[in-house]
């Protein structure tokens, strides 16, 4: 176990993630009733977000004035900071936030938010001062994400907004919303209302791990309206967070099959929305009507979510139904495939092609990536070895190694932890150790790494409180590795100790458990 470091000498500067370059400056900037924002052209979105955070904390109106001392500037000469970088200077008489792109200003606003007295994150503070500081900051990776599974346990959109706000605080920029699965369909599709009317409700939920055969006897239901989701997108966009939707195909579709049996390999069979955990053997059929159905679904998804990326699923697709289906066998033969097993990659290619023709980029899970169409960005959930194999085949890669990023794993072994996915424990040190470094002989592969993402599957996670218990402070470690270019565990732990006061003020649970140095064996 690592010894816990002492408190940082300047807790105000215990920023998470660590800025690229930071130096303390003499002096402090005081916000009072004379403070005015100087909002220059192109900085209006950042100014609105800044006011949304500062006005409740200070009680000050923070109006615009051309001679205001709190200055926001878009500076096209700062090209070295790329899209998300920013420069922040705080002195006695001025706060100056600059960036080459509006998104960089949004990242700088989150740094200012962290520089506030931590009490101001939850309640008005009479005297607000920002410490003198000089910061230049650029992220190491463009994809810094977190998946939230709302299919297994539905969460209201009001909580999703809080979830987004906490991601933004830690400079994560992607909320991957897992909207459909065997146990629930949460995405409204106007052409197919039964997807949510029937697919959005299951009769009960399994208690314990997959195969336990114990159930709670309580119905679970929920779905979003189009207005819910477009409102969430707007809220996230204002904070520099992209909401990436996932519609799982051609497996993890039992809820869709319950609503529309004709989509399956046995159209006359009536299925319920699955009440078990684990991998369901029911998969989509491969007729043209199924492809057309899901093209319509994806059209609605892309109309609601402007994200450049759309996730089409692709993981854990049993092929038994295809191997026993005359229609699937015939389809494989017509397409020139060696057998029905190859329908997995064929189906995903049809969905990926539709996404590409719509001007978007498809993302898919990959056990090994070899069956994915070349247009797909690979989200690699097994081991780094699988990620680098996909990169060699030319795919862009998002690291989602379950041994470092699956937050549904318990935070420590033993009965003291609440129910979690069995088989692994994932401590803070293991999250910090997520491996984004390509093999030494192949440094060129680093250019195909978009970034890293955490995953919170919710079979065992029914409430927002449980979500946050599992997410924090592990998300802080993930955010650090996604943003920072250097690896320094002792420094991170020191800063994290100072950062915990912010989480406390925001009502986020964050107990730090002893770190286990040994990783689970790779799959």
């Amino acid at each position: 176990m690592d010894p816990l470091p002492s408190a940082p000498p300047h807790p105000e500067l215990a920023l998470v993630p660590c800025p690229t370059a930071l130096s303390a400056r003499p002096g402090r900037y005081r916000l009072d009733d004379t403070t005015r924002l100087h909002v220059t052209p192109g900085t209006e979105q950042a100014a609105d977000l800044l006011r949304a955070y500062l006005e409740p904390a200070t009680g000050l109106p923070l109006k615009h004035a051309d001679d205001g001392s709190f200055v926001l500037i878009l500076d096209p000469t700062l090209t070295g900071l790329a899209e998300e970088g920013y420069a922040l200077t705080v002195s006695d008489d001025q706060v100056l936030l600059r960036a080459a792109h509006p998104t960089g200003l949004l990242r700088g606003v989150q740094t200012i938010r962290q520089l506030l007295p931590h009490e101001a994150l939850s309640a008005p503070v009479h005297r607000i001062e920002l410490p003198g500081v000089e910061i230049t900051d650029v992220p190491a990776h463009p994809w810094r994400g977190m998946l939230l599974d709302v299919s297994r346990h539905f969460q209201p959109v009001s909580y999703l907004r809080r979830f987004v706000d906490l991601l933004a605080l830690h400079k994560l920029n992607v909320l991957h919303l897992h909207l459909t699965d065997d146990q629930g369909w949460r995405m409204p599709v106007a052409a197919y209302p039964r997807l949510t009317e029937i697919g959005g409700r299951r009769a009960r939920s399994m208690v314990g791990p997959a195969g336990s055969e114990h159930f709670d006897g309580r119905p679970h239901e929920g779905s979003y309206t189009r207005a819910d989701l477009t409102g969430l997108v707007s809220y996230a966009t204002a904070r520099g967070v992209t909401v990436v939707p996932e519609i799982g195909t051609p497996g993890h579709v039992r809820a869709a099959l319950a609503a529309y049996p004709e989509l399956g390999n046995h159209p006359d069979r009536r299925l319920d929305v699955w009440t078990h955990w684990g991998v369901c053997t029911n998969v989509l059929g491969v007729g043209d009507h199924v492809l057309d159905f899901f093209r319509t679904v994806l059209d609605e998804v892309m109309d609601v979510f402007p994200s450049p990326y759309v996730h089409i699923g692709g993981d854990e697709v049993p092929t038994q139904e295809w191997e026993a289906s005359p229609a699937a066998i015939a389809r494989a033969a017509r397409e020139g495939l060696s057998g029905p097993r190859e329908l997995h990659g064929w189906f995903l290619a049809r969905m990926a092609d539709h996404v590409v023709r719509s001007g978007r980029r498809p993302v898919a899970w990959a056990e090994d990536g070899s069956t994915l169409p070349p247009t797909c960005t690979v989200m690699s959930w097994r081991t780094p070895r699988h990620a680098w194999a996909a990169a060699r085949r030319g795919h862009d890669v998002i690291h989602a190694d379950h041994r470092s990023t699956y937050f549904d794993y318990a935070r420590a072994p033993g009965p003291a932890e609440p129910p979690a996915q069995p088989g692994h424990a994932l401590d803070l040190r293991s999250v910090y150790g997520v491996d984004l470094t390509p093999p030494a002989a192949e440094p060129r592969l680093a250019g195909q790494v978009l970034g890293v993402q955490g995953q919170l599957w919710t079979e065992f996670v029914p409430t927002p409180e449980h979500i946050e218990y599992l997410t924090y402070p592990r998300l802080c470690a993930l955010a650090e590795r996604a943003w920072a270019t250097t690896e320094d565990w002792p420094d991170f732990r020191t800063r994290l100790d100072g950062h915990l006061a912010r989480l406390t003020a925001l009502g986020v649970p964050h107990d730090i458990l002893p770190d286990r140095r040994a990783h689970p064996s790779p799959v």
Side-chain angles (χ1 to χ4, degrees):
M1 184 191 311
D2 289 309
L4 298 182
S6 59
H10 299 289
E12 297 168 307
L13 301 184
L15 303 179
V16 176
C18 183
T20 307
L22 179 152
S23 58
R25 291 171 55 108
R28 302 178 70 81
Y29 180 87
R30 182 176 180 180
L31 288 96
D32 57 30
D33 56 10
T34 68
T35 302
R36 296 291 182 267
L37 300 185
H38 183 190
V39 183
T40 60
T43 69
E44 293 84 2
Q45 180 184 359
D48 288 344
L49 183 60
L50 189 64
R51 289 188 179 103
Y53 291 136
L54 291 186
E55 288 180 358
T58 64
L60 302 173
L62 299 176
K63 296 179 180 179
H64 166 79
D66 288 340
D67 61 350
S69 60
F70 204 126
V71 185
L72 285 69
I73 294 178
L74 273 184
D75 185 347
T77 68
L78 299 175
T79 53
L81 299 183
E83 182 174 325
E84 294 188 86
Y86 65 94
L88 174 65
T89 303
V90 179
S91 62
D92 274 330
D93 55 3
Q94 188 182 60
V95 175
L96 177 61
L97 175 61
R98 298 178 298 141
H101 189 279
T103 305
L105 295 175
L106 298 180
R107 305 294 173 243
V109 167
Q110 297 299 336
T111 296
I112 292 169
R113 189 181 176 198
Q114 289 199 23
L115 290 173
L116 295 172
H118 61 82
E119 301 90 348
L121 295 173
S122 58
V125 174
H126 176 66
R127 181 186 178 92
I128 295 273
E129 292 183 340
L130 299 177
V133 71
E134 185 82 37
I135 293 174
T136 303
D137 207 5
V138 184
H141 301 286
W143 187 295
R144 306 179 305 281
M146 185 70 199
L147 175 147
L148 183 59
D149 169 13
V150 294
S151 61
R152 272 57 174 262
H153 278 102
F154 177 78
Q155 300 299 329
V157 73
S158 58
Y159 178 68
L160 297 186
R161 291 186 177 212
R162 172 176 166 87
F163 196 82
V164 163
D165 213 37
L166 289 169
L167 297 187
L169 177 68
H170 294 90
K171 298 188 177 70
L172 296 186
N173 64 351
V174 173
L175 168 59
H176 174 173
L177 207 54
H178 186 78
L179 288 160
T180 71
D181 216 296
D182 297 310
Q183 299 87 359
W185 185 288
R186 314 300 176 195
M187 170 74 199
V189 180
Y192 305 120
R194 295 206 304 271
L195 285 171
T196 51
E197 291 170 359
I198 294 174
R201 184 184 189 277
R202 65 175 180 268
R204 58 183 184 172
S205 301
M206 179 167 276
V207 177
S212 74
E213 296 305 318
H214 297 292
F215 299 87
D216 62 9
R218 297 190 301 273
H220 182 81
E221 62 184 314
S223 60
Y224 302 106
T225 66
R226 184 184 177 98
D228 285 337
L229 295 175
T230 56
L232 176 66
V233 167
S234 295
Y235 187 87
T237 299
R239 286 149 181 78
V241 175
T242 299
V243 183
V244 174
E246 180 182 353
I247 302 295
T249 62
H252 287 287
V253 291
R254 176 73 171 256
L257 296 177
Y260 292 93
E262 64 270 25
L263 298 175
N265 293 284
H266 301 281
D268 297 331
R269 180 176 58 188
R270 295 296 180 264
L271 298 170
D272 59 359
V273 177
W274 213 36
T275 59
H276 294 65
W277 309 137
V279 179
C280 181
T281 58
N282 303 126
V283 300
L284 292 174
V286 291
D288 288 344
H289 67 291
V290 180
L291 299 176
D292 289 340
F293 184 102
F294 276 89
R295 289 179 183 121
T296 299
V297 169
L298 288 173
D299 285 342
E300 181 107 0
V301 168
M302 289 186 283
D303 197 40
V304 171
F305 296 95
S307 163
Y309 291 91
V310 175
H311 204 301
I312 58 175
D315 64 320
E316 298 175 328
V317 181
T319 59
Q320 297 97 308
E321 286 193 346
W322 290 337
E323 292 172 50
S325 165
I329 292 169
R331 184 89 206 206
R334 288 199 306 274
E335 300 295 336
L337 306 176
S338 64
R341 287 176 178 267
E342 290 192 15
L343 289 167
H344 177 201
W346 172 86
F347 193 101
L348 288 173
R350 307 285 83 71
M351 296 299 101
D353 287 348
H354 187 70
V355 171
V356 170
R357 285 197 299 272
S358 301
R360 309 292 183 89
R361 303 174 196 172
V363 185
W365 298 105
E367 271 76 29
D368 63 14
S370 61
T371 62
L372 290 180
T375 55
C376 276
T377 293
V378 167
M379 193 166 277
S380 179
W381 66 271
R382 294 190 68 181
T383 70
R385 177 170 57 86
H386 295 90
W388 300 125
R392 289 186 196 100
R393 287 190 293 272
H395 294 282
D396 285 341
V397 171
I398 300 161
H399 281 270
D401 177 356
H402 72 102
R403 302 169 308 164
S404 299
T405 71
Y406 271 36
F407 290 2
D408 53 321
Y409 291 161
R411 302 190 310 159
E417 287 291 286
Q421 200 69 256
H424 298 276
L426 179 61
D427 59 33
L428 186 70
R429 184 68 176 89
S430 297
V431 177
Y432 188 84
V434 63
D435 185 4
L436 304 179
T437 305
E442 300 175 283
R444 63 178 179 82
L445 297 181
Q448 289 172 246
V449 177
L450 295 184
V452 63
Q453 178 173 284
Q455 281 60 237
L456 185 56
W457 308 104
T458 58
E459 290 95 328
F460 306 99
V461 190
T463 66
E465 294 77 16
H466 196 169
I467 287 172
E468 292 187 2
Y469 177 83
L470 290 173
T471 302
Y472 296 93
R474 294 190 290 188
L475 180 136
C476 303
L478 184 82
E480 177 84 6
R481 295 306 312 283
W483 182 276
T485 56
T486 59
E487 183 175 353
D488 188 337
W489 168 251
D491 177 67
F492 166 69
R493 281 294 287 109
T494 298
R495 282 181 289 104
L496 181 60
D497 278 355
H499 183 64
L500 296 182
R502 300 184 186 107
L503 299 183
T504 298
L506 291 165
V508 178
H510 55 71
D511 294 340
I512 294 183
L513 304 178
D515 300 315
R516 296 166 57 247
R517 300 309 298 267
H519 285 272
S521 298
V523 173

